[in-house]
Amino acid sequence: MRDQLGKVAITANPAVQYALARHVLYQQGFVAEALVTYEPRVADFAYWWQQLFGESQGKDGIGLYPTMLQYTTDLHSMGQYVQDSRKVLVETVLDAFIDDAPELQVPVGLDEKNRYLENVSFHKLQEVAVESVMIAHSEAGVPNIRIEARGDAESLYGELVYFFEVACAFGGYLLGINAFDQPGVEAYKSEMRARLQK
């Protein structure tokens, strides 16, 4: 990822483009960003993303509130909120496909109403879900950013960490803050130390 990002002009750098898109949407009044994952094995990574952007850009009374959603699980609850609530949220869809994932298919023997799903791969179901939800939410006025990631689990996570760290640092410069300190975290740690030392 370092090689890929280092070989392109800054205007074509995908990490910079992501940071710029977030910044423009923030300036337009959006206050929160949800990193949406469809691949269950990427959900834990989304918690890391939430921590990275929360502590790096959430300071001085500014910054997008970072949260994560695991679709399709969260579609019936949070998907309803995203679709029909106040338009304060940006969705960043991390469309990740792990190469070494087993290829599973919907089994045969479904009732007549659902027979069209027989022998459809779960990967295909995920692709259709990603496209369908992005279209529905976009048409409802929810900005969507899509980041596609493909690879084996080990390299995929390493590349994503580097990508988002670059984007987060650049976004800090756009916000005019130091993305490399965490004064709010230090405040509660100091309070805890003082109370435990009494």
Side-chain angles (χ1 to χ4, degrees):
M1 182 56 67
R2 183 184 65 197
D3 291 343
Q4 289 178 35
L5 297 181
K7 290 178 181 175
V8 296
I10 194 166
T11 54
N13 185 309
V16 171
Q17 290 174 339
Y18 170 61
L20 285 168
R22 294 177 83 249
H23 188 70
V24 168
L25 291 164
Y26 175 69
Q27 289 181 320
Q28 291 175 354
F30 292 93
V31 299
E33 177 184 18
L35 185 70
V36 175
T37 62
Y38 285 79
E39 166 58 61
R41 293 184 292 171
V42 181
D44 286 340
F45 176 83
Y47 284 115
W48 171 85
W49 172 92
Q50 179 177 276
Q51 177 265 326
L52 173 70
F53 280 90
E55 78 174 8
S56 300
Q57 293 187 4
K59 53 190 79 167
D60 297 338
I62 60 174
L64 284 166
Y65 174 78
T67 190
M68 60 85 62
L69 295 171
Q70 170 63 55
Y71 288 168
T72 59
T73 304
D74 291 333
L75 272 176
H76 281 17
S77 55
M78 294 307 294
Q80 172 62 42
Y81 179 87
V82 172
Q83 180 81 23
D84 286 339
S85 72
R86 294 181 305 134
K87 301 304 179 240
V88 298
L89 180 77
V90 174
E91 282 184 309
T92 295
V93 177
L94 179 53
D95 185 8
F97 180 72
I98 300 173
D99 288 340
D100 57 0
E103 187 56 48
L104 303 174
Q105 293 184 325
V106 177
V108 296
L110 298 176
D111 58 34
E112 189 173 328
K113 182 176 87 172
N114 295 309
R115 195 152 294 138
Y116 67 97
L117 292 171
E118 288 183 352
N119 292 317
V120 175
S121 72
F122 279 88
H123 177 64
K124 179 64 176 177
L125 289 173
Q126 179 176 315
E127 284 180 353
V128 171
V130 169
E131 294 290 338
S132 301
V133 173
M134 286 186 70
I135 289 169
H137 288 183
S138 293
E139 289 177 352
V142 179
N144 272 244
I145 300 169
R146 184 176 187 170
I147 297 172
E148 292 184 13
R150 302 287 184 266
D152 63 88
E154 186 174 318
S155 62
L156 183 74
Y157 292 130
E159 290 178 8
L160 287 171
V161 164
Y162 194 89
F163 173 87
F164 284 116
E165 285 179 340
V166 169
C168 187
F170 191 79
Y173 293 122
L174 292 171
L175 290 168
I177 56 157
N178 179 359
F180 301 99
D181 67 0
Q182 50 183 18
V185 173
E186 294 306 320
Y188 85 76
K189 287 181 180 178
S190 296
E191 181 66 26
M192 287 180 65
R193 279 191 291 271
R195 288 173 176 271
L196 291 170
Q197 288 171 0
K198 286 184 180 180

